Amino acid sequence: MDPVPALDEPLKKVLGPATAKVMAEHLGLHTVGDLLHHYPRRYEERGQLTHLADLPMDEHVTVVAQVADARLHTFASSRAPRGKGQRLEVTITDGSGRLQLVFFGAGVHKPHKELLPGTRAMFAGKVSVFNRRLQLAHPAYELLRGDAEETVETWAGALIPIYPATAKLESWKIGKALQTVLPSAQEAADPLPESLREGRGLVTLPEALLKIHRPHTKADIEEARARLKWDEAFVLQVALARRRHADAQLPAVPRRPAPDGVLAAFDDRLPFTLTEGQRKVSEEIFADLATDHPMHRLLQGEVGSGKTLVALRAMLAVVDAGGQAAMLAPTEVLAQQHHRSITEMMGELAEGGMLGGAENATKVVLLTGSMGAAARRQALLDLATGEAGVVIGTHALIEDKVQFHDLGLVVVDEQHRFGVEQRDALRGKGKQPPHLLVMTATPIPRTVAMTVFGDLETSVLDQLPAGRSPIASHVVPAADKPHFLARAWERVREEVDKGHQAYVVCPRIGDEEEGAKAKKKSPEDEAEKRPPLAVLDTAEQLARGPLAGLRVEVLHGRMQPDDKDAVMRRFAAGEVDVLVATTVIEVGVNVPNATVMVIMDADRFGVSQLHQLRGRVGRGSAPGLCLLVSEMPEASAARQRLNAVASTLDGFELSRIDLEQRREGDVLGQAQSGTRSSLRVLAVIDDEEVIAEAREEANRIVGADPDLERLPALRTALDALLDEEREQYLEKG
């Protein structure tokens, strides 16, 4: 039997079963290689004391500090009625602040002997408050004795690595485990081709691992991080480059529009001219559709930039070429809305096979889960015979029963709402792989697009069509200035008096079970001691109070599909003044007469979501107004987020802010179908240059050697990155 490579050695063989079990369960580390890639979060300097002044509440912290004093108290308690109870209080300091440690009962003896004034140690525990002072109860600690050979060796000179740890496993125990496995780093296979590594002046992988875990200077840490960032960026970009290369080998039917077909007739009946951006993006798409391998394109467009029109022209080009096009929408409300707006835009061109239909018309069919049996049967028949050139639907389109005559193009709206599997299932319905156009109104910074959607070519629509009005946004601090909220409702009335309509958005529906309310609350909820505002309660209060006399209706996700559609139709027809809704209106809902939106508890929504919601107003010729209502205090991070949204209409700027406030792991995790982020040292926003250069290098290497036959170590690293889940993610794209 071959010996197991050193880095694949299970931790339980090296560290023993107890430690290995905690590492596997709490940190997801199983092998020596996993542990070597568990990098320090930061470093403490021996000569420098940490900041006790800014310790976060309720978090598990590791601090390096000096004992200022230690006192043993005795007290009476139910367990020790004769005053024999013991409590040790130790005060530690670091120059920036003081912190109290407490030990009780039998736990006082060891620290009482060891934690003498002047002693320096690392302490780890959960920060809590007692008598308005921060404290750590029963912290674990490790003495830092400068003279003890073993400790000096263990803590590697001047810089002490602090590892992402858990309550079950302190940072220094992880550090000690790393000292045990560090010699194996010498055997790490280097995934970077030597010419690339030397050309960029990067250290080898064994050297980088050694320097990140046992740095002697800050320059060591910088060198190690620079090298490890390249690994992460490069291996991911190679995976994406191979995916693009494989796609380019797939066959597809070229789809070129006929000169006098349905697309030309559609363009003739448009009452306006396309923007420069729409024309440019359409040309990119038509060029892709004309090739004999499948298009994979991401169309990013600001809210209201006319993406649907661009997608419809692509769909009609495919119909002209004898194929069918399917548009996948995330919700029934949105599918119905798209169906309505597309049939309106096409007029008699959407009435194929009907009296009054134009001669080159096609049929536009809607397919959703809640349709009646007869309508559904007819829709399925139209798809199977090819009678319907354009179909718009929800994931009902993906079911096995749905057969297409000749599926040539799949358009996925609001990409982030769909799992990879769903996208793939629809693509599998073509006789040959259909062309794919993915649309999103959530602006994605270039680096994230390169990292997450790196297998797609990207087109950006950043101009708004003529006739769109600017949207003014303001934060309404309901707690500090209640009269601002009263003024907000007056503004809604003024808009309705001018013949316009309004949205009021709330985070919750309001008929949840008691059990749902008892869910774990976020720290902000705890701080406010009230659940987020709900649609049903808010609508009732408004109709009785500040908006009495106006026609107020509700819309939320748990209504029956027909009821939802009826409410949307009434609102679109101007029969409802104020629509109180959840975020079901976030995407695609288009009512040009709605000019004002009030978002209640706006701090409960993310930056991109607020930007999306705001895009529902200002869609006509009258200016739009968006009021962000919040009870959060002025200095809070939540209010700063709202101020950022109010200050700019640039979605790309906002998506940057959004990313900076969240960790990339969250962003990539969501986009990557729920797999955990593989990024440990690479920061998607800050390391734009590394990602762009890695992409170029990856393209060059994969172009010359698609199977990486000359780079076995890179293949091994790829296999490690593409564990099963991720393999599926990239396979399905």
Side-chain angles (χ1 to χ4, degrees):
M1 250 175 76
D2 291 340
V4 176
L7 269 64
D8 293 340
E9 192 77 59
L11 285 174
K12 63 168 175 266
K13 279 197 171 169
V14 187
L15 304 175
T19 309
K21 185 169 187 257
V22 178
M23 286 197 168
E25 285 176 6
H26 294 274
L27 296 169
L29 308 175
H30 302 278
T31 64
V32 168
D34 291 345
L35 182 54
L36 286 172
H37 288 295
H38 185 71
Y39 307 134
R41 177 177 283 156
R42 57 191 171 84
Y43 300 84
E44 288 295 359
E45 289 180 70
R46 269 285 166 78
Q48 222 189 24
L49 294 158
T50 50
H51 286 287
L52 292 180
D54 16 291
L55 286 180
M57 270 298 295
D58 278 342
E59 273 193 33
H60 206 82
V61 297
T62 302
V63 296
V64 176
Q66 190 160 353
V67 177
D69 71 60
R71 296 178 187 192
L72 190 62
H73 302 274
T74 54
F75 59 90
S77 72
S78 56
R79 287 192 180 171
R82 297 208 185 96
K84 296 262 178 76
Q86 290 190 310
R87 180 174 78 247
L88 176 66
E89 290 179 1
V90 178
T91 306
I92 58 172
T93 177
D94 69 350
S96 77
R98 295 165 86 80
L99 179 65
Q100 192 168 49
L101 317 177
V102 289
F103 301 88
F104 294 101
V108 303
H109 304 308
K110 187 165 175 272
H112 189 216
K113 281 211 298 276
E114 294 183 335
L115 298 179
L116 305 172
T119 309
R120 304 202 55 225
M122 293 176 80
F123 302 92
K126 193 171 181 184
V127 183
S128 57
V129 170
F130 181 70
N131 277 345
R132 294 177 140 176
R133 285 167 63 195
L134 293 183
Q135 70 167 27
L136 297 181
H138 282 286
Y141 63 88
E142 177 83 5
L143 301 179
L144 296 173
R145 298 188 183 94
D147 50 7
E149 196 53 43
E150 186 264 348
T151 316
V152 173
E153 186 55 32
T154 306
W155 300 113
L159 292 160
I160 303 168
I162 305 290
Y163 290 93
T166 72
K168 294 266 195 293
L169 200 64
E170 293 86 11
S171 168
W172 58 81
K173 288 189 180 158
I174 297 172
K176 282 185 168 167
L178 266 151
Q179 299 305 329
T180 309
V181 302
L182 210 47
S184 306
Q186 295 303 336
E187 299 181 45
D190 202 325
L192 291 191
E194 202 165 327
S195 57
L196 187 160
R197 189 176 59 69
E198 287 173 355
R200 297 192 173 271
L202 298 168
V203 298
T204 63
L205 182 56
E207 194 181 336
L209 290 171
L210 217 57
K211 284 183 168 173
I212 202 152
H213 292 298
R214 290 184 65 171
H216 292 295
T217 62
K218 288 186 174 171
D220 283 354
I221 300 169
E222 285 313 304
E223 278 188 0
R225 288 178 69 86
R227 161 62 215 245
L228 295 167
K229 277 179 183 183
W230 252 93
D231 278 18
E232 290 182 6
F234 179 69
V235 175
L236 186 56
Q237 291 302 334
V238 167
L240 292 164
R242 291 187 69 198
R243 169 93 176 82
R244 287 192 298 274
H245 184 271
D247 282 342
Q249 315 306 311
L250 289 173
V253 179
R255 311 279 179 173
R256 294 183 185 84
D260 52 356
V262 66
L263 175 62
F266 174 74
D267 283 349
D268 288 345
R269 53 169 286 136
L270 277 179
F272 50 82
T273 53
L274 298 177
T275 64
E276 188 51 44
Q278 286 173 321
R279 259 203 304 280
K280 185 175 123 299
V281 170
S282 290
E283 278 162 22
E284 291 171 350
I285 291 171
F286 291 154
D288 283 356
L289 289 173
T291 61
D292 53 11
H293 57 83
M295 162 171 84
H296 287 96
R297 191 167 281 281
L298 172 69
L299 172 56
Q300 294 191 59
E302 270 292 9
V303 178
S305 57
K307 291 184 300 302
T308 311
L309 178 63
V310 170
L312 177 56
R313 293 184 72 238
M315 291 163 86
L316 295 180
V318 169
V319 172
D320 265 353
Q324 291 169 292
M327 181 185 262
L328 189 57
T331 64
E332 295 215 346
V333 168
L334 192 52
Q336 285 160 340
Q337 176 92 26
H338 276 320
H339 183 253
R340 246 200 317 277
S341 62
I342 284 175
T343 45
E344 277 166 20
M345 279 197 271
M346 288 176 64
E348 72 264 23
L349 294 172
E351 295 170 359
M354 295 186 225
L355 273 174
E359 68 183 88
N360 47 7
T362 186
K363 214 171 187 183
V364 179
V365 167
L366 176 69
L367 186 64
T368 65
S370 62
M371 284 169 73
R376 188 182 172 77
R377 251 199 318 275
Q378 185 58 52
L380 290 172
L381 187 65
D382 289 341
L383 290 185
T385 59
E387 188 85 10
V390 175
V391 56
I392 294 136
T394 54
H395 35 15
L397 280 177
I398 296 167
E399 290 169 12
D400 292 343
K401 292 196 285 287
V402 180
Q403 299 294 326
F404 287 85
H405 178 64
D406 178 14
L407 181 59
L409 170 67
V410 173
V411 178
V412 180
D413 192 21
E414 286 309 323
Q415 153 58 30
H416 62 286
R417 305 292 190 88
F418 284 100
V420 172
E421 294 75 15
Q422 293 167 307
R423 215 161 92 187
D424 193 51
L426 189 52
R427 274 170 61 187
K429 292 193 177 287
K431 295 191 173 59
Q432 277 193 318
H435 299 281
L436 174 71
L437 179 65
V438 169
M439 299 199 297
T440 177
T442 307
I444 303 165
R446 176 170 164 258
T447 42
V448 180
M450 282 194 293
T451 311
V452 178
F453 298 108
D455 57 332
L456 302 171
E457 297 300 323
T458 306
S459 297
V460 178
L461 270 180
D462 47 15
Q463 286 172 292
L464 289 188
R468 277 298 169 88
S469 303
I471 304 169
S473 306
H474 303 285
V475 178
V476 178
D480 318 347
K481 300 180 178 163
H483 59 286
F484 275 37
L485 184 57
R487 176 72 189 117
W489 301 127
E490 282 172 22
R491 284 291 291 117
V492 170
R493 275 192 172 290
E494 286 164 16
E495 288 300 309
V496 172
D497 288 346
K498 289 183 200 160
H500 297 307
Q501 293 159 280
Y503 294 103
V504 177
V505 181
C506 302
R508 236 169 23 101
I509 295 172
D511 57 358
E512 292 86 349
E513 296 298 308
E514 280 306 308
K517 286 185 190 167
K519 274 194 199 133
K520 193 170 182 317
K521 293 185 167 79
S522 72
E524 274 106 335
D525 290 357
E526 286 294 352
E528 292 180 4
K529 290 287 183 276
R530 75 161 175 77
L533 291 171
V535 166
L536 301 176
D537 311 339
T538 304
E540 197 180 321
Q541 286 159 10
L542 291 176
R544 282 208 313 261
L547 302 184
L550 301 187
R551 297 169 296 178
V552 177
E553 292 210 23
V554 300
L555 179 71
H556 58 75
R558 282 213 297 277
M559 289 165 63
Q560 289 302 317
D562 290 352
D563 297 343
K564 275 193 281 204
D565 195 41
V567 171
M568 270 322 295
R569 279 176 191 276
R570 285 201 294 279
F571 189 63
E575 295 161 19
V576 174
D577 298 320
V578 180
L579 187 61
V580 183
T582 55
T583 53
V584 289
I585 61 157
E586 180 187 347
V587 284
V589 172
N590 184 20
V591 179
N593 190 43
T595 53
V596 58
M597 174 177 283
V598 182
I599 303 179
M600 307 303 291
D601 279 345
D603 47 88
R604 312 284 178 125
F605 299 97
V607 170
S608 297
Q609 207 173 19
L610 290 169
H611 182 58
Q612 286 274 3
L613 286 165
R614 167 171 66 183
R616 301 300 116 217
V617 294
R619 300 177 80 85
S621 51
L625 173 65
C626 178
L627 301 173
L628 306 165
V629 179
S630 171
E631 292 186 359
M632 295 304 275
E634 188 144 12
S636 64
R639 272 285 285 282
Q640 285 164 358
R641 214 171 56 227
L642 296 181
N643 292 340
V645 174
S647 68
T648 177
L649 289 171
D650 180 342
F652 286 92
E653 177 56 31
L654 286 174
S655 66
R656 233 185 142 80
I657 293 168
D658 198 15
L659 251 187
E660 281 161 3
Q661 291 185 340
R662 306 199 319 231
R663 295 194 323 282
E664 285 78 20
D666 305 344
V667 178
L668 297 183
Q670 281 179 334
Q672 296 183 337
S673 194
T675 54
R676 72 190 169 93
S677 167
S678 63
L679 302 191
R680 296 185 180 90
V681 286
L682 191 72
V684 172
I685 286 281
D686 301 337
D687 296 321
E688 180 161 350
E689 216 169 284
V690 176
I691 293 170
E693 289 174 13
R695 183 176 168 117
E696 274 172 40
E697 292 279 10
N699 282 342
R700 192 174 56 71
I701 282 165
V702 171
D705 179 10
D707 293 329
L708 307 179
E709 282 168 3
R710 296 192 288 281
L711 299 168
L714 176 55
R715 285 197 68 140
T716 309
L718 260 188
D719 294 341
L721 171 75
L722 304 180
D723 52 35
E724 276 174 41
E725 277 187 288
R726 216 179 203 81
E727 180 83 62
Q728 285 174 354
Y729 159 70
L730 288 167
E731 275 300 311
K732 294 177 176 175

